[in-house]
Amino acid sequence: MTGERPPVPPVPLESRLGYLLKHAQQRLARASAEALAPLGIDGHELAVLAVLAAEYPLSQVEVAGRLGVDRTTMVALVDGLEDQGLVERRRSPQDRRKNIVELTPAGRDCLDRAERARLAMERRFLDPLDEEAAAALVRALRILVAEERRNAE
Amino acid sequence: MTGERPPVPPVPLESRLGYLLKHAQQRLARASAEALAPLGIDGHELAVLAVLAAEYPLSQVEVAGRLGVDRTTMVALVDGLEDQGLVERRRSPQDRRKNIVELTPAGRDCLDRAERARLAMERRFLDPLDEEAAAALVRALRILVAEERRNAE
DNA sequence: TATTGTTATACTCTATAACTATA
DNA sequence: TATAGTTATAGAGTATAACAATA
């Protein structure tokens, strides 16, 4: 009933870290979806393209590992990208169990435009902050996320 | 010659705002669940208790509006809290369509302890940041979330 | 007619198990 | 025996539609 709904409330909610992080994340997710929609991909697919452009060759599990998603989730992701002609699967000659996932020229082109769209979107998202505040936000998030990885061991 | 030596360009994932916000949020959500588990409630339920303590009287839709959740979601939330004896429903005499949701003494007590647990959890979460960085993070998130509400109109 | 609470339904995301083919 | 890809299934979480009671 309430498609995208922003809460109306000035209760002490906005002093809660959980509320703030969740809603900031949701707002960014919506902005990301909007920015990428014209390119026919979503944030997960963009992440796959970016990983493939950064390292080669990678199999499906390897890409999944880089992104922290399950290998079963990876299947549908690669399916979608392959249907759009952005990547291709080919069996690894060294280990025929593995699917090497390869960017096509169309995939590189899409990645290029998607990265521009993402950067523009992030700038708009951070626009209400001055430069120093935006930098401080990113710095803080990096430290907290790095902590997540440390604790995971 | 098959890339046994990956140049290890650690994919710029952690420079992506979407990645950072999502993982920070997930880490906090896990910490929150752990901190509240001993009290038998989750973050959503705590938020309901807090809203009820801050404003009175509130009907189910009104609480839902404060929290930005759907009124259909509110039903199960209040069900759970009522089963635990933390809130009670009573028909509003002014408008018999409305269920006024009321904190019980046990609900107040639970809220009190849960708030303490949440504050301690947030302090632990922010521990890797110095005081100034933590304050800057919260300030930035507040601005961004307030912006979400402005744009939603 | 519109709103509140409710139920039932559907849809998304994710996790798990199991199957195959390869190693 | 273990690993890679795949499929199917089940479980949260959430959105949508519809209904009864009330305004």
Side-chain angles (χ1 to χ4, degrees):
Chain A
M1 226 134 224
T2 344
E4 328 211 322
R5 70 250 114 100
V8 201
V11 187
L13 282 177
E14 58 284 323
S15 70
R16 289 164 188 254
L17 201 50
Y19 179 89
L20 292 172
L21 268 177
K22 183 175 172 187
H23 285 262
Q25 196 271 325
Q26 285 180 344
R27 190 190 145 216
L28 185 71
R30 272 195 299 273
S32 172
E34 279 171 33
L36 295 179
L39 295 161
I41 63 172
D42 63 24
H44 288 288
E45 294 175 318
L46 170 53
V48 173
L49 297 181
V51 167
L52 293 176
E55 246 180 302
Y56 177 87
L58 289 180
S59 70
Q60 288 187 202
V61 270
E62 287 162 347
V63 176
R66 302 291 186 285
L67 297 177
V69 305
D70 195 87
R71 75 184 200 277
T72 63
T73 309
M74 204 60 207
V75 176
L77 260 173
V78 175
D79 282 348
L81 291 168
E82 199 170 37
D83 287 348
Q84 294 181 75
L86 303 179
V87 305
E88 276 174 10
R89 288 171 161 107
R90 60 178 187 76
R91 284 266 177 252
S92 164
Q94 281 77 36
D95 184 341
R96 293 180 40 73
R97 291 173 303 182
K98 294 191 177 183
N99 275 348
I100 300 304
V101 187
E102 211 164 2
L103 271 184
T104 64
R108 275 184 193 285
D109 187 60
C110 179
L111 170 59
D112 200 56
R113 283 180 297 151
E115 283 292 88
R116 277 191 243 279
R118 180 183 65 81
L119 284 165
M121 179 275 291
E122 287 190 3
R123 268 196 301 276
R124 273 196 307 278
F125 181 82
L126 295 174
D127 191 57
L129 304 177
D130 63 48
E131 206 170 324
E132 194 183 310
L137 171 68
V138 172
R139 220 180 308 126
L141 289 175
R142 263 193 203 141
I143 292 171
L144 294 174
V145 170
E147 190 68 13
E148 176 189 20
R149 266 195 288 278
R150 281 193 48 234
N151 290 350
E153 284 154 19
Chain B
M1 221 46 188
T2 23
E4 277 303 325
R5 198 73 316 189
V8 197
V11 184
L13 278 180
E14 58 287 322
S15 71
R16 288 164 191 255
L17 200 50
Y19 180 89
L20 291 173
L21 269 178
K22 184 176 171 185
H23 286 260
Q25 196 272 323
Q26 285 180 345
R27 192 191 143 216
L28 184 70
R30 271 193 300 273
S32 172
E34 279 171 35
L36 296 179
L39 294 161
I41 63 172
D42 64 24
H44 286 120
E45 293 174 319
L46 169 54
V48 172
L49 298 182
V51 165
L52 292 176
E55 244 179 302
Y56 179 85
L58 289 180
S59 70
Q60 287 187 202
V61 269
E62 287 162 347
V63 176
R66 302 291 186 283
L67 297 177
V69 305
D70 195 87
R71 77 183 198 277
T72 63
T73 308
M74 205 59 208
V75 176
L77 261 173
V78 175
D79 281 349
L81 291 170
E82 200 170 37
D83 287 349
Q84 292 181 78
L86 304 179
V87 305
E88 276 173 9
R89 288 171 160 107
R90 59 177 187 79
R91 283 267 176 252
S92 164
Q94 281 77 36
D95 183 342
R96 293 181 40 73
R97 291 172 304 181
K98 295 191 175 184
N99 274 347
I100 301 303
V101 187
E102 212 162 2
L103 271 184
T104 65
R108 275 185 192 284
D109 187 61
C110 178
L111 170 61
D112 200 56
R113 283 181 296 150
E115 283 292 85
R116 276 192 242 280
R118 179 183 66 80
L119 283 166
M121 179 275 292
E122 287 190 5
R123 269 196 299 276
R124 275 196 306 279
F125 182 82
L126 294 174
D127 191 57
L129 303 178
D130 63 48
E131 205 170 325
E132 193 183 311
L137 171 69
V138 173
R139 221 181 306 127
L141 289 174
R142 263 191 205 145
I143 292 171
L144 293 174
V145 170
E147 188 68 14
E148 176 190 20
R149 269 197 285 277
R150 281 193 47 232
N151 289 351
E153 286 156 18

